[in-house]
Each structure stands twice: as C-alpha cells, then as structure tokens.
Amino acid sequence: MENRRDQPAYRQLMDQYMNAERAAIVPRAVQLHIVTRDDGTGGIPVADVRDEFTNWVNPYFAGVNTSFFECAPVQYINSTAYYSLSGDAEGDAMAVANNSPNVVNIYFVDDPDGACGWARFPWDLPNDYVVIANTCATNKSTLVHELGHYFSLYHTHETAFGAESVTRNSADGCYDCPTDGDKLCDTPADPTLNDAAVTITAAPACVYSSALTDGCSVAYTPDATQIMSYSLKACRTVFSTEQKAKMTLTLASAPGAPLYGRNYILTSCCDGPEAICRNVTVTLTDAGTASITAAQVNNGSKTECGFGSLSVTPNSFNCSNLGTNTVTLTVTDALGATSTCTATVTIVDDTAPVITNPASNMTVQCASSGNAAAFASWLANKGGATASDACGGSWSNNSTGLSNGCGNTGSEAVTFTYADGSGNSASTTATFAIVDNTPPTVTCPANIHLPECVATASWSVVASDVCGSVTVVSTPPSGSGFAKGSTTTVNVVATDECGNSSSCSFTVTRDPDLQVAIDPLSTSALNTCALGTGANIILGYGGGPICTGLHAVATGGHGPYTYAWTKPATVPAAKFTNANTASPTFCANFQTAPCVTYTFVVTATDVHGCTETADVSVNVVRVSCSTHVPPNVSVCHRPVGNEPGQVTICIGSTGVAAHLTLHNDCLGGCDATCISLSARAPIAASEQGTLDEQALSINVLPNPFSSVATIAIASMADERVELSVVDLSGRVVASLYNGMLAKDVAMSVQFDAQELPPGTYIARLIGAQGHMKYTTMVLVK
C-alpha cells in the first residue's frame, strides 16, 4: 500500500522535487483503447480524444515535466461486454487481454460502472490502466483527474487515512495534513465538494459556500479549482505544487516498494520503419480490371520494431488507369509507426476486342441519288457490326468509295476495325453492293398516220433510267421510208447501261397510193382520116353530140377527194364547165380545125393535201367543108385498086354514108392530121435531166403484136418523160404517160391498139430536154 512509503525519506525526496528547477519535458507513451459494441458501433471518435490530450492533458502535465504521445495506433476493441463495465474485476480482465507493455493504457468505454472513470494506482500493479467514460472524456478535467490518480494522487477529500483537519499550523493539536486526507498540506481540507450541503458557483467564479466544519469545529475552506476534487468539472483547473512533486517522483521511481513509481513508461519509440518501393507492370484482365498487393510493390522495406502490416493504395485499377499510376506503400511496425514510399504501377491492356456481331453484306437497288445516303448510313452503322472491349474503343473502316460498275452501280468490300486505346483490334468485313435489276422506262409515241404523199416518218421516244443513260433503238429507225398502203409496226427497245431493257411499239400507217383514173370516152364508129375510129366528137356530120362529159375517179390516199381540171389554153372558158368537180363537160363546137386532140388534166387532192394527176385526150374531128346548111362534108375518096390516087372531095352529107360504106373512104381530107393541145405545163427546168437519148431505153413486147403490146421504159437518172405512139405520118395515136421516171426503175405501160388499123407505128419516149428514144412496132390483124 501507499502507506509503506510514508516515511521521512519519501518526504525528503518530495521536498527536493518541489525545490528543484524544472527539467525538460519528457514524453511518455500512451496506448489508446476505444471500446465498441460487438458489431463495431459506438465508441468515441479518436480525434476528440487526441484534441483533449493536446489542449488540456499535456498543458496540465507540462508542470510535471511530462507530455503524452502515441507509439502505436489506436486499438479498437469490439466487445459489448467491455463496452459497459460492471466493476474493477471486469476492467482488470479487459486490461489483461488488451494492455500494451510499458505504456499508459487508457480505455474509453460507454459506462465504467456508472462513474466518469477510474485509474489504478502504481501500487496496484500488475493491474495497470485507466478507464474513462465516453461522455466524460472531453470535459477538460476528467482525463487529467484520472491520470492524477494513475500517478499516485488521492482525492482532496480522501478519508481512507482519516478525515483531514482544516488547520495548517503544525503547533495546533488538530494538525494532521501530512498523514490524513490526501496527505498533502498544500491542498486545503475538503469535506467532499459534491456534498449536498456544498454550493459552488459556476465557473469562472467557482466560489465555495457551506456550513460544514471539520472535527475540530473549524469551517472548511476548500479549493474549488482543485483538479483532484469533486468540484464542478469546469472549475477543476489546478494541480498544487506538492501534487506535481508527488507525480514527478512517481514518474522517476521504479515500480514496487518503497516508492511505487512508473519509470517503466516508454519515453520514446524504436526507430520507425523504412518503406522501400519498386515499380511494377500489371495487365488488365478480360473484364478490364487489375489489382495489386502491397507485397508486389514492396522492395525490402525495413523496420526495427517488427512488422505490423503492409498496405498499398490505390490497389485496384480499371481501364481509366491505363498507363502509369502512382501508388503509396505504407509500412506499419509493431508499435503502429508508419513509413511510406511511392511506386509507379504501369497498367497495360493486351486483350483484343471481340466482334460480337459481324458486319453484314447489303445489296440495294440503284437509285437516282446514286445510293450515297444508303452507303453512308451502312458505313456509319458499321454494316451492323458490334464489338465489345472492357476498355471501350472506336470504329474505323478502309472504304475508299464504291467502284463503278454500270451506271451508278458498284460494290466495295469494306473492313470495319474496332480498336481499343492500347492498339488491340478486331475486324470484320462485309460488302456493300448497288445493283441495277430495274429496267428503264420507255414511252412510245402514238401511232403515226402518214399521207400517201409523205414517204418518211420521224419520231422521238421518251426513255429514262434512275441509274444511268439509256440507249434507244427503233426498228425500223426514225426517218425511215414507208410503202404506200402499208402498216408497219415499229418496235422500240430501251436498254440501260446494265443491260436491263424495256420495249414498246407503235404503228406507222401510210395511206394507199393516191391514183386518179378518168373513165374512157366513147368513140365514133365512123372512120376519120386523121384518127380512124378514135374520134370522140365529129363536127359537121353524123348529128352526134358536140359535147362530152369527162369523169375522174380518185382512189387510194385518204378521201374524201377534191378535183381540179385544167383545160388547154385555146379552149374557151365557156366550153369547159364544172372544172372543179369530178365530172366536167367539154363542148367542141367552137373548133374550126379539121382535127384537134385536146388533153385535159385532172388533179385529185385527198384530205391530207396529197395530189395525183391524170389526163384524158378528147379527139375532135371537124369534117364540114362548106357553110351550107346542112354543110357539105369532106371525104377522102380512095378508089379501089388505086389507093395512091386518093383525093379529097366535098360532098353533101347524104352521100357520105355510101362512100364510107362502099369504099375504103374516110371522113375528112386525105391529108388531114390531128394537132395536139395539152393542158399540161411545159416541163420545168428543175425537172429537166442532163442525159441524152443514150440514157433512155424503150422496148415493145411482143413485137409484132395483134392487139395489146407492153411498152417498157427506163432511165439512168430521175427524169420527166413523155411516152406516146405515133403513126408513120407523125400523128399521135396514143399518149401513154407524162410524168417522172425514177432512176433505174423500169416502168411498163399497156398499149391497146384494137381500134387501130394494122400497120407500122412508132413508140416514142421524149426526155425533159427534148432528147428522144423510139422504136417501131408492127400491128398485125
């Protein structure tokens, strides 16, 4: 017990410490223990405890030449049992299980058996600890108060050695301060300041008031600011000189009798640890993560106090940490001292991305835009490809654009590459193709109707293709000639650049050949010297008609038709009527010449303005030879057997019949010839050829002939010609053709000679410049 050191030697040492000069402050090691419940809840924040040491404990103990420091980290004790202590025995068990040697072990609990705390005196060894309630740990006096006990101080109201008297006069019979109470004479006697009969005003006044007296009936005058009292906690601020001396002596003394000191408390820790690092390279996993241990970056770290633990932070990495990263290695020794160093951790990624869905080929039909938007969209969508990589990446492709095919079509094989930030990549290839299977559109013109006078037809076809140009072929081609009276189907094929084709058709119809024919005129049965029986009108004999009706009939072309007749200029207008109809009338009673052949020309015009002409000759013979009424008639008398002795006679009309019947006589003068008067215009200079008669050919088959012969004509150039038959006297007996003769195109004309007498005739072909080709033909009967 502490009584064992209450001896003169102890008092002498106390006096020496009280009178000694203050030495340098000596640090003393503490171990903080924070007790929590089993689940780790509860417990006081260690920062609050450290603030209490810094701001209150160490300043108070500076008067004892002492400060407190931690050699080891806070020890956390998860124990619901120790969290609320039920008494000294449970506190002792807690200390035995958790104390650190040679330090002040301080336990912070929720409830130390209803008190604010307690401490073990030095003579209580091996029980060696301090207990503080969490609620009292930071009140600025409880921790200091309990440490006072720990270093040998009693309460100022201690009664274990007897109640202390108030007097401090050693001559007074009541003097007992060295042996009673707290055994210190510079701390006034204390009747227990938390007694119900005691009043203390609040800090900072802290004035004591009470009627209590000691055993000698002297009123108490305790120090309400004394740390080791039960005064108000805010008032407890003073250690007395003897208290400081007693604690100083305790700190300097060895444990056990006679002084019961605590000089075993460490005044320094061993040399701290030395952290030594090394750099490492770590590869990310397929999931894009990596972790390291402290051992990987430890390069032989050192500690004199024994290893407590190694830790490194950060110790986990992901794709965002690719490249170099600085980590901190912390080495903690057995006493909790730490040392750190930094290392470089290089995070690398050598895992290639994975193509989760390959690119797909795409084929599109050619469009007028060239499918640029579709191709751009396919590229932007990576052909539908998808890829995954724990660290992400970006797509690229090697497209240089579509290669041209036909029109705006084409294809390109594109490789899509997905690369991560570390250069690892994966690729997929697909083809984008633009094809053209769509034929062009083609629209034919409406069916074409050609007049017979228009030989050629031209047209245009509308064709288009969304993908390129179109070639259009018409069969037959535009500008072709078409035969009269024909209907021709024109087939049109439109082909685009890719060989797709469309077709349509239409017809070209050309009207039949426009022709106009004139009905044959009736002829007189009388034999005339100039025309034989070919006279149509005979004036002066026979009483026949002096007028004849002409009648034209148009066919082919496209009716209805109009007709326009042209008369020879010498025919009076009044003698040719209804000239603009199909059937005009010609009256010849104005004629005075013996024989005239009048050629009338009719022009037929169809609704398209196409024209065709024909002519008819009206043979008019005038045989009267006097002005008698009736007039005499000229007759060529040919004595039988003496034909060369023929003679023209002028006889009365009553004798004419006998001459014509009994003799081989003919009407008119023996030398009568028939002149021709034609309505046809002279051949125009533009229609005149340049060839001579060698360019014309004429041939008669059969020859001789009995009634009808075929006369074939041809020309080596386009030439306007007139074909006629004349007798040996030069009289025209038949006008067969007047019109164009195409180059190298043979024409055949039928010559009907049934009404002509047998004999020799001449077939005559006259060109536009007057050159002529002829051949003789013999009529036999």
Side-chain angles (χ1 to χ4, degrees), residues 646-667:
Q646 63 184 8
V647 62
T648 299
I649 59 176
C650 182
I651 61 175
S653 59
T654 57
V656 172
H659 276 275
L660 297 179
T661 303
L662 300 176
H663 305 286
N664 193 24
D665 294 348
C666 57
L667 284 172

Short mmCIF file of all heavy atoms in Angstrom, two decimals, residues 646-667:
data_model
loop_
_atom_site.label_atom_id
_atom_site.label_comp_id
_atom_site.label_asym_id
_atom_site.label_seq_id
_atom_site.Cartn_x
_atom_site.Cartn_y
_atom_site.Cartn_z
N GLN A 646 -55.86 8.57 -204.12
CA GLN A 646 -56.90 9.10 -203.26
C GLN A 646 -57.01 10.60 -203.46
O GLN A 646 -56.03 11.28 -203.78
CB GLN A 646 -56.59 8.78 -201.81
CG GLN A 646 -55.30 9.39 -201.25
CD GLN A 646 -55.00 8.96 -199.83
OE1 GLN A 646 -55.68 8.09 -199.30
NE2 GLN A 646 -54.01 9.59 -199.24
N VAL A 647 -58.24 11.10 -203.19
CA VAL A 647 -58.48 12.51 -203.42
C VAL A 647 -59.53 12.96 -202.41
O VAL A 647 -60.40 12.21 -202.03
CB VAL A 647 -58.95 12.76 -204.88
CG1 VAL A 647 -60.28 12.05 -205.16
CG2 VAL A 647 -59.08 14.27 -205.16
N THR A 648 -59.40 14.22 -201.99
CA THR A 648 -60.38 14.77 -201.06
C THR A 648 -61.51 15.37 -201.85
O THR A 648 -61.30 16.15 -202.79
CB THR A 648 -59.74 15.85 -200.19
OG1 THR A 648 -58.67 15.26 -199.44
CG2 THR A 648 -60.76 16.45 -199.22
N ILE A 649 -62.75 14.98 -201.45
CA ILE A 649 -63.92 15.51 -202.15
C ILE A 649 -64.79 16.19 -201.13
O ILE A 649 -64.73 15.91 -199.94
CB ILE A 649 -64.68 14.39 -202.88
CG1 ILE A 649 -65.14 13.31 -201.88
CG2 ILE A 649 -63.83 13.75 -203.96
CD1 ILE A 649 -66.01 12.21 -202.56
N CYS A 650 -65.59 17.13 -201.52
CA CYS A 650 -66.53 17.84 -200.65
C CYS A 650 -67.92 17.54 -201.16
O CYS A 650 -68.31 17.99 -202.25
CB CYS A 650 -66.24 19.36 -200.69
SG CYS A 650 -67.31 20.32 -199.59
N ILE A 651 -68.67 16.74 -200.45
CA ILE A 651 -69.95 16.25 -200.94
C ILE A 651 -71.01 16.56 -199.91
O ILE A 651 -70.73 16.89 -198.75
CB ILE A 651 -69.91 14.75 -201.24
CG1 ILE A 651 -69.58 13.98 -199.93
CG2 ILE A 651 -68.87 14.42 -202.30
CD1 ILE A 651 -69.62 12.47 -200.12
N GLY A 652 -72.21 16.45 -200.34
CA GLY A 652 -73.33 16.64 -199.42
C GLY A 652 -73.37 15.51 -198.42
O GLY A 652 -72.89 14.39 -198.64
N SER A 653 -74.00 15.79 -197.36
CA SER A 653 -73.98 14.84 -196.26
C SER A 653 -74.71 13.56 -196.58
O SER A 653 -74.40 12.50 -196.02
CB SER A 653 -74.58 15.48 -195.00
OG SER A 653 -75.94 15.89 -195.25
N THR A 654 -75.64 13.62 -197.60
CA THR A 654 -76.40 12.42 -197.90
C THR A 654 -75.57 11.40 -198.63
O THR A 654 -75.90 10.22 -198.64
CB THR A 654 -77.62 12.78 -198.75
OG1 THR A 654 -77.18 13.46 -199.96
CG2 THR A 654 -78.58 13.68 -197.97
N GLY A 655 -74.48 11.81 -199.20
CA GLY A 655 -73.67 10.85 -199.96
C GLY A 655 -72.52 10.31 -199.17
O GLY A 655 -71.77 9.46 -199.64
N VAL A 656 -72.39 10.78 -198.03
CA VAL A 656 -71.21 10.39 -197.25
C VAL A 656 -71.28 8.93 -196.84
O VAL A 656 -70.30 8.17 -196.90
CB VAL A 656 -71.07 11.28 -195.99
CG1 VAL A 656 -69.96 10.76 -195.09
CG2 VAL A 656 -70.81 12.71 -196.39
N ALA A 657 -72.43 8.49 -196.44
CA ALA A 657 -72.56 7.12 -195.93
C ALA A 657 -72.16 6.10 -196.96
O ALA A 657 -71.50 5.10 -196.66
CB ALA A 657 -74.00 6.89 -195.46
N ALA A 658 -72.58 6.40 -198.26
CA ALA A 658 -72.24 5.43 -199.30
C ALA A 658 -70.75 5.35 -199.48
O ALA A 658 -70.19 4.25 -199.66
CB ALA A 658 -72.93 5.82 -200.61
N HIS A 659 -70.09 6.48 -199.49
CA HIS A 659 -68.63 6.46 -199.64
C HIS A 659 -67.96 5.69 -198.49
O HIS A 659 -67.01 4.92 -198.72
CB HIS A 659 -68.08 7.91 -199.68
CG HIS A 659 -68.14 8.52 -201.04
ND1 HIS A 659 -67.18 8.37 -202.02
CD2 HIS A 659 -69.11 9.31 -201.61
CE1 HIS A 659 -67.51 9.02 -203.10
NE2 HIS A 659 -68.72 9.63 -202.88
N LEU A 660 -68.43 5.92 -197.33
CA LEU A 660 -67.77 5.26 -196.19
C LEU A 660 -68.06 3.77 -196.17
O LEU A 660 -67.25 2.99 -195.68
CB LEU A 660 -68.21 5.90 -194.86
CG LEU A 660 -67.87 7.39 -194.65
CD1 LEU A 660 -68.41 7.86 -193.31
CD2 LEU A 660 -66.38 7.61 -194.74
N THR A 661 -69.22 3.41 -196.77
CA THR A 661 -69.61 2.00 -196.71
C THR A 661 -69.05 1.22 -197.87
O THR A 661 -68.53 0.10 -197.71
CB THR A 661 -71.14 1.88 -196.67
OG1 THR A 661 -71.64 2.62 -195.55
CG2 THR A 661 -71.58 0.44 -196.54
N LEU A 662 -69.16 1.78 -199.09
CA LEU A 662 -68.80 1.03 -200.27
C LEU A 662 -67.32 1.13 -200.59
O LEU A 662 -66.79 0.29 -201.34
CB LEU A 662 -69.63 1.54 -201.46
CG LEU A 662 -71.17 1.39 -201.28
CD1 LEU A 662 -71.89 2.02 -202.49
CD2 LEU A 662 -71.54 -0.08 -201.15
N HIS A 663 -66.73 2.09 -200.17
CA HIS A 663 -65.32 2.28 -200.48
C HIS A 663 -64.49 2.29 -199.18
O HIS A 663 -65.02 2.27 -198.09
CB HIS A 663 -65.10 3.61 -201.22
CG HIS A 663 -65.97 3.71 -202.46
ND1 HIS A 663 -65.75 3.02 -203.65
CD2 HIS A 663 -67.10 4.45 -202.67
CE1 HIS A 663 -66.67 3.32 -204.54
NE2 HIS A 663 -67.54 4.20 -203.96
N ASN A 664 -63.25 2.36 -199.33
CA ASN A 664 -62.36 2.48 -198.16
C ASN A 664 -62.10 3.94 -197.87
O ASN A 664 -61.01 4.35 -197.53
CB ASN A 664 -61.05 1.75 -198.42
CG ASN A 664 -60.24 1.57 -197.13
OD1 ASN A 664 -60.82 1.57 -196.05
ND2 ASN A 664 -58.94 1.44 -197.26
N ASP A 665 -63.16 4.77 -198.06
CA ASP A 665 -63.01 6.21 -197.85
C ASP A 665 -63.04 6.52 -196.36
O ASP A 665 -63.48 5.72 -195.53
CB ASP A 665 -64.14 6.96 -198.56
CG ASP A 665 -64.06 6.82 -200.10
OD1 ASP A 665 -63.01 6.34 -200.55
OD2 ASP A 665 -65.04 7.17 -200.75
N CYS A 666 -62.60 7.71 -196.07
CA CYS A 666 -62.63 8.15 -194.67
C CYS A 666 -63.10 9.59 -194.64
O CYS A 666 -62.97 10.33 -195.59
CB CYS A 666 -61.26 8.03 -194.02
SG CYS A 666 -59.92 8.92 -194.84
N LEU A 667 -63.64 9.97 -193.46
CA LEU A 667 -64.13 11.32 -193.29
C LEU A 667 -62.96 12.27 -193.16
O LEU A 667 -61.98 12.00 -192.48
CB LEU A 667 -65.01 11.42 -192.03
CG LEU A 667 -66.43 10.86 -192.11
CD1 LEU A 667 -67.08 10.86 -190.74
CD2 LEU A 667 -67.25 11.67 -193.09
#
